[in-house]
Amino acid sequence: MASIFSKIAAGEIPSYKVAEDERHYAFLDINPMARGHVLCIPRREVDYIFDLDDEEFAALQLFSKRVAEAMKEALPCKRIGVAVLGMEVPHAHIHLVPLNSEKDMDFRAAKLTLEAEEMEQIASEINRFFQKKC
Ligand code: 5GP
């Protein structure tokens, strides 16, 4: 059975898309730690990120770098934090989180609740800068 992230990348489940290419998809985390918390995934469904082959792993990192650059331009922040957990969804993904302090990347902290309109606006702003790089 396809993972929830495969269904999102295929457009079968809605998401706030921020970027995509042939092999990858990036979208806003539905329970964000900070405004603009993004997940980057390979379209090919592999559970554990270190089970990707070397080329796929490198390609996912490069795609995430492009997304992080777009995020940095779209959202005021000091850094884009990077993390891999994979404790909840068995489809490899990289968390990218805009940071102004280390407190912005606390996986145990209460998540933000943002209105759909704000999520759409954040996603489209990141996507605008991502498109410029293509
Ligand atoms: P992890 O697997 O890295 O521990 O956590 C999975 C992440 O995916 C969580 O931050 C969670 O909020 C996010 N997530 C889980 N299901 C969905 C979903 O259906 N849509 C979106 N956009 N994010 C999700």
Side-chain angles (χ1 to χ4, degrees):
M1 204 175 88
S3 75
I4 190 149
F5 286 177
S6 286
K7 290 181 182 168
I8 284 174
E12 293 164 15
I13 290 178
S15 67
Y16 298 100
K17 181 178 85 175
V18 305
E20 67 179 329
D21 68 14
E22 265 180 32
R23 296 163 63 195
H24 308 96
Y25 191 84
F27 55 106
L28 294 184
D29 194 298
I30 205 69
N31 294 307
M33 273 184 281
R35 282 181 83 255
H37 177 175
V38 166
L39 303 174
C40 297
I41 65 168
R43 291 185 190 275
R44 189 168 91 80
E45 195 172 316
V46 172
D47 174 357
Y48 184 45
I49 196 164
F50 295 123
D51 284 337
L52 292 168
D53 70 34
D54 289 359
E55 194 279 329
E56 286 174 319
F57 180 76
L60 176 62
Q61 296 287 346
L62 276 178
F63 175 75
S64 301
K65 181 180 179 188
R66 301 282 170 265
V67 174
E69 288 167 348
M71 290 167 65
K72 189 79 174 60
E73 290 182 78
L75 303 163
C77 62
K78 287 189 181 159
R79 298 270 175 176
I80 303 297
V82 185
V84 174
L85 279 76
M87 303 306 290
E88 185 187 325
V89 178
H91 184 140
H93 52 280
I94 293 178
H95 293 258
L96 298 176
V97 183
L99 302 180
N100 287 300
S101 98
E102 63 189 45
K103 290 186 194 134
D104 295 332
M105 202 156 179
D106 179 352
F107 281 85
R108 288 168 301 185
K111 303 298 188 286
L112 301 183
T113 306
L114 303 178
E115 297 293 329
E117 197 179 321
E118 186 171 8
M119 294 284 271
E120 268 163 30
Q121 190 254 322
I122 293 167
S124 89
E125 194 61 4
I126 298 170
N127 182 254
R128 193 164 69 81
F129 283 102
F130 182 82
Q131 296 289 345
K132 278 193 193 172
K133 296 177 181 299
C134 298

